[in-house]
Amino acid sequence: LSVPEKPRVVSLYGSYAEAWLLAGGQVVGVTQDAIDERNLDLPQETSVVGSVKEPNVEEIIALEPDLVILSSDIAAQVDLQDTLETAGLSCAYYRVDTFEDYDFMMQLYCAVTGRDDLYQTNVTQVADQIAQVKDTAANAETHSNVLLIRAFSTGIKAKTDDELAGVILNELGAHNIADDHPSMLEDLSLEEVISADPDYIFVTTMGDEQKALDYLDSLIAENPAWSELTAVKENHYVVLPKDLFHYKPNNRWGESYEYLAEILYPSLFQS
């Protein structure tokens, strides 16, 4: 990135703003999620430039940033590129689905800030933590079949390694039944789930968590056979915390690995 030594930065995604702060940078503008979801400790004068899906381009330009950090995974932000660059602003787009993606982003951030010490703290040490978890999990004698569900207020879908929880489950040796039933990715059939009978069911939520879980509960209530699933009977039905599995965990990525590993392999991770 070709930016001044201490650039004025606007981030249009809360977790990317948090990562920039972890790299020793400062922000002059953020989207509302940085406050509502990430609870970032920001100076009072920090501007809020709209939301993730509806960023305010006029407010962004008015801040005269040296760099605008955006998500390549959000159409409304991709559509801003021409407008921002025509206004003379430098843009950096990221998509972070894995720890390796986070590592790549932080390498660039810390190169700009010159804070290799913060890269060591917030990336290298986290990588060591992840490696230790994976090494321990590799000693497991058996591996579980799992189902990963993303729940909305109006629907549910199975997810695989296109979501960070799916990536981690795969790296820890779990087998996602959705890999065997691609139709689950478009329209999750409870009948298919009952037939596959996974050992664990993990749920992430989008949007209003309570509404998403209420919708999922209503579907389960309509199908009594759900209560006969192994995962449900053995209390292996887990709603994953948003801070570790929906928002990008950044320097807490190691905690995300540990969280799932302790559930999958309790005998290996007893403290």
Side-chain angles (χ1 to χ4, degrees), residues 16-126:
Y16 297 170
E18 181 184 56
W20 176 250
L21 297 177
L22 290 171
Q26 296 180 335
V27 290
V28 296
V30 295
T31 40
Q32 191 66 43
D33 64 308
I35 296 164
D36 293 347
E37 297 173 358
R38 305 302 296 194
N39 298 314
L40 297 185
D41 184 14
L42 300 170
Q44 192 170 354
E45 63 271 18
T46 307
S47 297
V48 176
V49 292
S51 66
V52 168
K53 292 186 177 179
E54 294 183 351
N56 188 312
V57 68
E58 291 81 9
E59 292 181 7
I60 296 167
I61 294 171
L63 288 172
E64 299 182 346
D66 301 301
L67 176 65
V68 184
I69 297 170
L70 309 97
S71 171
S72 60
D73 203 27
I74 298 170
Q77 298 195 17
V78 174
D79 292 344
L80 284 182
Q81 185 167 7
D82 287 345
T83 303
L84 294 175
E85 291 183 347
T86 299
L89 305 182
S90 296
C91 298
Y93 278 89
Y94 298 98
R95 175 170 179 165
V96 176
D97 293 320
T98 66
F99 174 75
E100 288 72 23
D101 295 335
Y102 164 71
D103 183 353
F104 173 76
M105 180 172 66
M106 288 294 285
Q107 287 180 46
L108 298 175
Y109 281 3
C110 291
V112 172
T113 61
R115 296 295 304 272
D116 182 65
D117 60 319
L118 293 177
Y119 178 83
Q120 296 299 321
T121 299
N122 293 307
V123 184
T124 304
Q125 290 180 18
V126 179

Side-chain angles (χ1 to χ4, degrees), residues 124-145:
T124 304
Q125 290 180 18
V126 179
D128 292 343
Q129 182 183 9
I130 291 170
Q132 188 172 4
V133 171
K134 289 166 71 173
D135 284 349
T136 302
N139 293 319
E141 294 180 2
T142 59
H143 297 282
S144 299
N145 290 321

Side-chain angles (χ1 to χ4, degrees), residues 208-219:
D208 187 311
E209 181 170 68
Q210 193 54 54
K211 287 182 179 177
L213 294 177
D214 287 347
Y215 180 84
L216 184 56
D217 288 344
S218 71
L219 292 182

